[in-house]
Amino acid sequence: MHRTIIEDLKKWSKKKDRKPLILQGARQIGKTYILKEFAKQEFERHHYFNFEDAPQLIALFEKDLKTTRIIDDLAAFQGQNIDYKNDIIIFDEIQYCPRAITSLKYFNENLPELALCSAGSLLGLELSPSSYPVGKVETLEMFPMSFYEFINACAEEQLLDSLKKGANDALHAKIWEKLKHYFITGGLPEIVETYVKSEKTLFETFKDIRNKQKDLSKFYIADMAKHAGKANSMHLERLWTNIPSQLAKSQDGSAEKFKLKGQIKGVSGFKQISSALDWLEKARIVFK
């Protein structure tokens, strides 16, 4: 599925003063897919390293942060030479290796010709300020699919053209219907793909979508337990499940703003509750 952020990645790759790139965003929004797709389109070869799937990679950054030594070790790890003048390297789930993030500073200073992309989901939670190479990297923020991208994925070229020019009355009803379907999918690529490729009735399709969304929500909750600790993750889960039910009241005008008070059982302190909301925002799974 086409994502418009690929154009930003292409612009980055053509910069003369290009710095290593960090692509940030929540889990399951398509960061890995888009980086690989971009690499295939713009470079002859790409080298992909995932610090979550292959934690042994972390050891390669422990000895020192000499860039040529790291490149040689990465090449040996994958059994393929790396041409740092023509290839691109992708570091995925880079938050699992803070030393790899720090190394981006040295790649920028010592190997500016190397195209180096990285992706991370929980960078705001996992890193200390000292480990982030301020001024030595570029960042891009990625979000779930936009409505335009959703329409494009549905192969509705006429609707897409109408949206860009300004919808006429004849197409407005169809666009409105698609907008409601977009809201139901939430714009997550896996869910949109289920919607687009489904050959079932709309009712059955939406049932499949809801089941997949429940699985994704469990995945987010598992992340909370993994990265926030057992006690904090309980607060996070209660707040996370409360947000949609509370904001749903806005349909009748009764939810003027989100209320923190009383949302976490047994916790009344505003600071503790608001810190849980801050955690969810840093994980980029909610936006204030």
Side-chain angles (χ1 to χ4, degrees), residues 245-263:
S245 61
Q246 187 179 151
L247 295 186
K249 297 176 183 177
S250 64
Q251 292 178 8
D252 60 12
S254 61
E256 296 179 3
K257 61 182 179 180
F258 183 78
K259 297 177 181 177
L260 289 169
K261 185 177 180 181
Q263 304 313 320

Side-chain angles (χ1 to χ4, degrees), residues 11 16 19 40 61 78 87 213 256 287:
K11 289 178 183 176
K16 291 182 179 179
K19 299 176 182 178
K40 290 175 186 176
F61 293 82
Q78 69 173 359
D87 298 350
Q213 287 172 331
E256 296 179 3
F287 293 92

Side-chain angles (χ1 to χ4, degrees), residues 12-178:
W12 165 80
S13 70
K14 291 175 172 57
K15 285 183 178 180
K16 291 182 179 179
D17 57 345
R18 180 183 62 203
K19 299 176 182 178
L21 180 76
I22 297 178
L23 183 64
Q24 299 188 59
R27 296 264 203 170
Q28 305 296 317
I29 60 170
K31 298 187 299 299
T32 300
Y33 166 82
I34 203 64
L35 284 180
K36 287 184 175 180
E37 188 64 27
F38 153 70
K40 290 175 186 176
Q41 292 182 23
E42 297 297 308
F43 295 85
E44 287 189 15
R45 293 194 310 167
H46 71 276
H47 308 276
Y48 175 79
F49 303 95
N50 187 310
F51 291 99
E52 183 179 24
D53 289 347
Q56 59 268 43
L57 285 167
I58 297 171
L60 302 184
F61 293 82
E62 293 300 329
K63 181 179 179 181
D64 57 52
L65 294 179
K66 293 179 180 178
T67 51
T68 52
R69 195 273 307 163
I70 292 171
I71 293 288
D72 289 343
D73 284 356
L74 289 172
F77 178 84
Q78 69 173 359
Q80 183 182 31
N81 289 332
I82 298 174
D83 180 354
Y84 60 82
K85 292 184 178 180
N86 298 299
D87 298 350
I88 185 171
I89 292 176
I90 300 172
F91 288 158
D92 205 357
E93 301 296 356
I94 196 171
Q95 73 275 4
Y96 286 96
C97 184
R99 292 269 293 175
I101 298 174
T102 303
S103 77
L104 300 181
K105 170 186 175 181
Y106 300 102
F107 279 110
N108 175 58
E109 293 174 349
N110 303 326
L111 281 179
E113 62 269 47
L114 172 67
L116 176 56
C117 281
S118 57
S121 303
L122 301 164
L123 290 170
L125 299 166
E126 295 292 322
L127 300 178
S128 64
S130 61
S131 62
Y132 196 88
V134 177
K136 302 296 182 178
V137 295
E138 296 183 45
T139 58
L140 268 179
E141 186 83 16
M142 189 172 178
F143 300 92
M145 296 175 73
S146 69
F147 183 48
Y148 286 98
E149 290 172 328
F150 174 76
I151 292 294
N152 188 57
C154 295
E156 295 276 6
E157 294 180 8
Q158 194 174 18
L159 284 187
L160 190 63
D161 187 57
S162 180
L163 274 171
K164 291 177 178 178
K165 293 179 179 178
N168 57 46
D169 292 341
L171 289 174
H172 184 270
K174 190 173 182 181
I175 290 173
W176 177 246
E177 190 70 13
K178 283 292 182 184

